[in-house]
Amino acid sequence: PTVAEIRQIIAMDDVIDDLFLKVKMQVVENIQGGNVNYSAQLDIVFISKYFEKMGDHLSAVARHELRLLEKEW
């Protein structure tokens, strides 16, 4: 990947973090509204958290690669 693509990957981590927060808030609203499958709502939170963590790890790898490319190590 190019430096520009790596920077784009790093920037996308914030987007993924924001999406996780939106999902979490929607689940809270669903539960407060009642009459939902609590197990399914919990699964939604866990799945979205796994994606958020994958984004964190990908961003960390991208930052390391950027340092290597820019020789800042």
Side-chain angles (χ1 to χ4, degrees), residues 14-26:
D14 290 335
V15 173
I16 294 169
D17 291 345
D18 290 343
L19 287 172
F20 169 67
L21 292 176
K22 287 180 183 178
V23 168
K24 191 168 66 169
M25 292 307 299
Q26 182 62 54

Side-chain angles (χ1 to χ4, degrees), residues 27 30-44:
V27 167
N30 292 347
I31 290 172
Q32 288 174 339
N35 199 23
V36 295
N37 181 328
Y38 295 106
S39 180
Q41 296 299 304
L42 190 57
D43 286 342
I44 291 169

